[in-house]
């Protein structure tokens, strides 16, 4: 018996809602039956753990949630996948401040579920839409999705990081995103910055950047504001740090 799509979508929404409900500073506000154009609702985040009021309001993050039955177990237990997203939806997200796009795959009985997400902040969408034009795509474009760790703390890190990027960038057709630093301008960049939620060491910063959730911003020598660097899903990021340490010559030192 074929499962109605509305039921599949409701399962996907309930999976996310159950995780969010366990976190003290997040509150789900999802719609069933796809009532909103290109969005399925919002996640409210607050600054305090004991009160969700106007005084504790932090942000309202838009989300898109898609549910799918995975009969062939194609999308279970993978850290990263690619999946097609409608170009028309990307254009809508770009006119706003982006969205977190969730894919929920499940068995027919609903007992096994896997969630993947893509943090589609405006500068990232800009690059995807450029690829749409370059490849002359009309309906969909395949983009990478990351497996979601289904704990309230990890979920919050994803949502808060997305909120920070969207607040910095504003609308897709606004001046910040429209003046994204392109690859050909990299040599002109004097300083780079990034805010990384959930990281306290250099290794954790690199791991968080590898998820695709973090945007890097650059400022040119004569620039007054930091602008997003052009997004590249496959870019390798290398960080160097100058360190001064004593070195002993007559013995072998192993670095781990």
């Amino acid at each position: 018996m074929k499962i109605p799509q509305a039921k599949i979508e409701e399962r996907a929404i309930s999976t996310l809602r159950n995780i969010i409900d366990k976190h003290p500073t997040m509150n789900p506000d999802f719609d069933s039956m796809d009532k909103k154009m290109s969005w399925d609702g919002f996640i409210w985040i607050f600054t305090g753990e004991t009160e969700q009021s106007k005084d504790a309001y932090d942000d309202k993050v838009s989300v898109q949630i898609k549910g799918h039955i995975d009969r062939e177990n194609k999308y279970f237990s993978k850290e990263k996948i690619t999946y097609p997203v409608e170009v028309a939806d990307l254009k809508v997200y770009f006119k706003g401040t982006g969205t977190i796009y969730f894919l929920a795959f499940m068995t027919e009985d609903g007992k096994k579920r896997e969630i993947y997400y893509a943090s589609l902040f405006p500068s990232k969408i800009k690059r995807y839409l450029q690829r749409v034009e370059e490849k002359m795509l009309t309906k969909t474009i395949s983009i990478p999705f990351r497996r979601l760790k289904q704990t309230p703390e990890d979920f919050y890190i994803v949502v808060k990081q997305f909120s920070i990027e969207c607040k910095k960038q504003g609308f897709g057709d606004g001046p910040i995103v429209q003046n994204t630093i392109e690859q050909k301008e990299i040599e002109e960049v004097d300083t780079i910055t990034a805010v990384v939620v959930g990281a306290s060491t250099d290794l954790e910063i690199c791991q968080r950047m590898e998820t695709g959730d973090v945007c890097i911003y650059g400022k040119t020598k004569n620039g007054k504001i930091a602008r997003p660097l052009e997004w590249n899903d496959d870019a390798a990021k290398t960080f160097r740090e100058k360190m001064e340490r004593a070195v002993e010559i007559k013995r072998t030192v192993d670095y781990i």
Side-chain angles (χ1 to χ4, degrees):
M1 182 177 67
K2 185 176 180 180
I3 302 174
Q5 186 59 34
K7 190 174 187 65
I8 298 172
E9 298 290 348
E10 186 55 42
R11 284 180 182 177
I13 289 172
S14 67
T15 302
L16 293 175
R17 184 182 285 117
N18 289 338
I19 302 171
I20 297 169
D21 281 338
K22 295 175 184 177
H23 196 278
T25 68
M26 293 192 297
N27 190 31
D29 184 10
F30 301 153
D31 284 328
S32 301
M33 306 300 289
D34 280 333
K35 293 179 181 179
K36 287 187 172 69
M37 180 179 65
S38 298
W39 289 283
D40 290 307
F42 306 91
I43 299 173
W44 297 77
I45 52 178
F46 298 87
T47 57
E49 295 188 0
T50 59
E51 185 179 8
Q52 294 187 355
S53 64
K54 293 179 181 179
D55 292 336
Y57 171 77
D58 186 3
D59 201 4
K60 183 176 73 169
V61 173
S62 67
V63 298
Q64 173 72 75
I65 306 167
K66 295 290 187 181
H68 304 276
I69 299 295
D70 187 2
R71 294 179 177 84
E72 300 177 356
N73 290 331
K74 183 178 178 181
Y75 295 105
F76 288 118
S77 303
K78 293 184 177 180
E79 288 303 313
K80 191 175 181 181
I81 66 171
T82 57
Y83 205 82
V85 173
E86 291 188 18
V87 172
D89 282 336
L90 287 177
K91 290 180 178 179
V92 172
Y93 306 146
F94 188 67
K95 290 180 179 179
T97 55
T99 196
I100 306 180
Y101 198 117
F102 293 99
L103 297 172
F105 296 96
M106 63 197 78
T107 53
E108 289 190 277
D109 59 10
K111 292 181 179 179
K112 187 177 180 181
R113 305 181 189 187
E114 198 77 88
I115 302 171
Y116 296 87
Y117 74 94
S119 293
L120 299 177
F121 41 80
S123 66
K124 185 186 286 189
I125 299 175
K126 179 184 179 182
R127 181 57 190 142
Y128 291 154
L129 292 177
Q130 287 173 340
R131 281 172 49 195
V132 166
E133 293 185 4
E134 292 166 0
K135 297 183 177 182
M136 294 184 289
L137 304 174
T138 56
K139 297 295 184 181
T140 64
I141 178 174
S142 291
I143 66 173
F145 285 78
R146 173 73 54 170
R147 180 173 174 266
L148 178 70
K149 295 180 181 178
Q150 297 187 38
T151 68
E153 293 76 17
D154 287 307
F155 198 122
Y156 174 78
I157 287 173
V158 170
V159 176
K160 180 61 178 177
Q161 184 72 54
F162 178 80
S163 170
I164 288 172
E165 306 301 356
C166 292
K167 285 180 178 178
K168 282 186 175 183
Q169 297 185 11
F171 294 101
D173 56 4
I176 300 296
V177 178
Q178 291 301 310
N179 287 284
T180 295
I181 297 174
E182 299 180 358
Q183 300 258 344
K184 60 185 180 182
E185 301 176 83
I186 293 297
E187 295 298 326
E188 301 174 18
V189 175
D190 188 42
T191 59
I192 62 170
T193 58
V195 175
V196 184
V197 180
S200 57
T201 66
D202 292 346
L203 176 60
E204 289 175 346
I205 290 173
C206 292
Q207 289 173 333
R208 289 284 297 119
M209 285 187 168
E210 197 269 334
T211 63
D213 302 346
V214 180
C215 183
I216 299 175
Y217 299 81
K219 186 182 289 187
T220 57
K221 293 180 180 179
N222 297 321
K224 295 182 179 180
I225 60 172
R227 296 178 286 150
L229 269 62
E230 182 180 63
W231 187 261
N232 186 339
D233 287 321
D234 301 319
K237 302 175 181 67
T238 302
F239 298 90
R240 294 183 176 88
E241 181 180 358
K242 186 177 181 181
M243 304 177 70
E244 295 183 3
R245 292 183 180 178
V247 177
E248 293 190 24
I249 304 297
K250 294 184 179 181
R251 70 170 187 158
T252 301
V253 181
D254 295 325
Y255 292 92
I256 299 176

